[in-house]
Amino acid sequence: MQFGIFTVGDVTTDPTTGHTPDDTERTRAILTIAKHADQAGLDVFAQGEHHNPPFVVSSPTTLLGYLAGVTENIVLSTATTLITTNDPVKIAEDYAMLQVISNGRMDLMMGRGNTGPVYPWFGKDIRAGIPLALENYALLRRLWEEEVVDWEGKFRTPLQGFTATPRPLDGVPPFVWHGSIRSPQIAEQAAYYGDGFFHNNIFWPIQHTEQMVSLYRSRFEHYGHGHADQAIVGLGGQFFARKNSQDAWNEFRPYFDNAPVYGHGPSMEDFTEQTPLTVGSPQQIIDRYATMRDHVGDYQRQLFLIDHAGLPLKTVLEQIDILAEEIVPALREINESKRPAGVPSNPPSHAERVAVAQAAGSVGEGHVAGEDRWTGSTAEDDRTPAAAGVGAHTGAAFGL
């Protein structure tokens, strides 16, 4: 099972000192955090994408490309790649380049983002968020899997004889997660393609997460990718740990109370009770997160948000050490001891995906044949997600 951290790159005043980092200081701190996570032995570092203050990282591929050259083992990912407002042609080329630079040590998470004004900034209509996500991703897959693409859709100019460059590493595109907090259509999209589904449940009760993951698993099996328990699932989380639980509460409280998202809202006591945020000793974090599989089944990736709300860099690095040295070994042992045979421990690596593609005879010279290797689609389901009814049966499943 993979364990790691993600950051949204917020620039927030430290409420205990009054210090506000500028964009340069915050960006360089993120680089330090990622390198430290690699050195500590964590499995994944994921970076979000935002185009508005107080967030600083508008170009994840630039940051991750640099990290590919200065880290050794950690998987480099995005916590959000905006599939709605980014051009899928640019996504195809940027992330194929990152895949080549990192030698396949990367993946990415598609998402619609949580900032409404970003849509008109990039010439899009937020009311078309779901259709944009579906159409743009369908095109993105073709750009990676077909060397020459002729295409026409609703939201961008047509393509004629277009080849995205560079081609994916070894002819196999990066592994894709679809991230969503509340949209069943995105869980359906992930299932349709046989991709991973990441539920960033940091603001939601576990019952909602359980419902979303259950939908994804059932639809994953429906589309013929394997049994429901073999679907690739990731979860978000938050913690703050000190050796003594009360010390953790006392130290973290001013950061929680002034956080840009949930500050001045629910009390920390209520928030920790109703969401996955856990503040306390390492054993308390272990005990809390060991129960996640009871709700969502055996899953493959757990990421934690630990550098938000103005926490100083020194504190964040200390939290990484606690996570790597005390929390992850225990959680890994607990989860793997209970995992049934035949259920993947990790998302598929680049090498594993290449082996599958080679066995299927679907790797070409620098490109991937257009046939979908992963879906195993029947004639009935060999359509776009929109044509297959994304939204219709998901709405019924959720009583919407």
Side-chain angles (χ1 to χ4, degrees):
M1 185 173 174
Q2 292 182 339
F3 292 89
I5 60 173
F6 73 98
T7 176
V8 295
D10 62 300
V11 178
T12 304
T13 299
D14 184 333
T16 68
T17 66
H19 174 67
T20 304
D22 62 21
D23 289 358
T24 299
E25 180 184 349
R26 182 67 170 109
T27 300
R28 290 176 177 168
I30 292 170
L31 297 176
T32 300
I33 289 165
K35 289 184 284 186
H36 192 78
D38 179 51
Q39 295 161 1
L42 295 182
D43 302 308
V44 184
F45 172 80
Q47 174 62 61
E49 177 185 351
H50 287 278
H51 297 273
N52 58 292
F55 306 102
V56 70
V57 182
S58 56
S59 179
T61 50
T62 304
L63 185 141
L64 296 176
Y66 168 81
L67 288 173
V70 297
T71 59
E72 295 183 0
N73 300 306
I74 200 162
V75 174
L76 303 169
S77 185
T78 55
T80 309
T81 295
L82 297 177
I83 188 63
T84 48
T85 52
N86 283 314
D87 184 352
V89 172
K90 195 69 167 69
I91 294 176
E93 296 189 330
D94 281 353
Y95 286 94
M97 179 68 78
L98 177 61
Q99 188 191 34
V100 170
I101 290 171
S102 67
N103 197 30
R105 187 164 49 92
M106 56 79 66
D107 54 36
L108 68 161
M109 187 190 307
M110 300 298 173
R112 291 183 294 136
N114 60 5
T115 307
V118 74
Y119 284 81
W121 294 343
F122 289 88
K124 306 299 181 183
D125 186 341
I126 192 172
R127 293 169 294 184
I130 293 293
L132 273 165
L134 300 178
E135 180 177 296
N136 283 354
Y137 185 62
L139 173 56
L140 175 61
R141 285 182 66 97
R142 288 192 59 190
L143 292 166
W144 276 337
E145 296 179 349
E146 301 174 30
E147 189 168 14
V148 180
V149 174
D150 294 315
W151 179 89
E152 184 171 356
K154 180 178 179 181
F155 296 108
R156 76 173 317 279
T157 54
L159 298 173
Q160 295 181 346
F162 180 78
T163 298
T165 59
R167 303 306 302 151
L169 179 67
D170 301 317
V172 175
F175 182 73
V176 171
W177 300 83
H178 298 260
S180 180
I181 297 175
R182 62 183 182 275
S183 300
Q185 298 95 329
I186 301 305
E188 176 77 18
Q189 183 185 40
Y192 176 83
Y193 288 108
D195 295 335
F197 179 65
F198 190 93
H199 193 263
N200 193 11
N201 54 324
I202 58 176
F203 301 127
W204 291 79
I206 192 62
Q207 292 79 11
H208 175 75
T209 302
E210 183 175 351
Q211 191 177 37
M212 290 286 284
V213 173
S214 177
L215 171 65
Y216 161 68
R217 288 189 183 281
S218 66
R219 302 304 292 172
F220 180 94
E221 182 169 311
H222 167 81
Y223 287 118
H225 304 300
H227 296 299
D229 62 358
Q230 296 173 317
I232 305 300
V233 173
L235 297 182
Q238 296 182 86
F239 78 89
F240 188 86
R242 290 301 187 197
K243 183 177 180 179
N244 180 281
S245 176
Q246 192 58 54
D247 289 342
W249 277 79
N250 292 340
E251 183 176 352
F252 188 64
R253 188 179 294 277
Y255 296 97
F256 176 89
D257 288 345
N258 293 278
V261 176
Y262 43 68
H264 309 288
S267 69
M268 194 161 75
E269 287 79 3
D270 287 343
F271 204 85
T272 55
E273 180 182 353
Q274 297 173 23
T275 79
L277 173 63
T278 307
V279 179
S281 68
Q283 188 60 52
Q284 288 174 307
I285 282 79
I286 293 166
D287 292 344
R288 182 82 178 277
Y289 279 88
T291 67
M292 295 298 173
R293 66 174 300 279
D294 298 334
H295 299 279
V296 303
D298 294 280
Y299 63 114
Q300 287 72 34
R301 177 175 287 184
Q302 174 69 62
L303 300 183
F304 295 98
L305 175 64
I306 60 172
D307 75 328
H308 60 306
L311 285 165
L313 177 59
K314 177 178 180 293
T315 301
V316 175
L317 300 183
E318 291 168 352
Q319 293 298 300
I320 289 173
D321 290 337
I322 293 170
L323 177 63
E325 295 169 9
E326 301 183 55
I327 297 172
V328 164
L331 284 176
R332 198 189 308 276
E333 181 179 357
I334 292 168
N335 281 283
E336 294 310 312
S337 69
K338 298 178 179 180
R339 189 181 303 273
V343 174
S345 293
N346 299 303
S349 68
H350 177 72
E352 290 168 338
R353 287 166 60 80
V354 170
V356 169
Q358 289 175 338
S362 56
V363 175
E365 294 296 327
H367 70 277
V368 178
E371 179 184 354
D372 190 337
R373 301 184 310 280
W374 307 102
T375 62
S377 302
T378 64
E380 178 184 357
D381 286 326
D382 192 16
R383 301 168 289 170
T384 66
V390 171
H393 47 262
T394 54
F398 272 65
L400 300 176

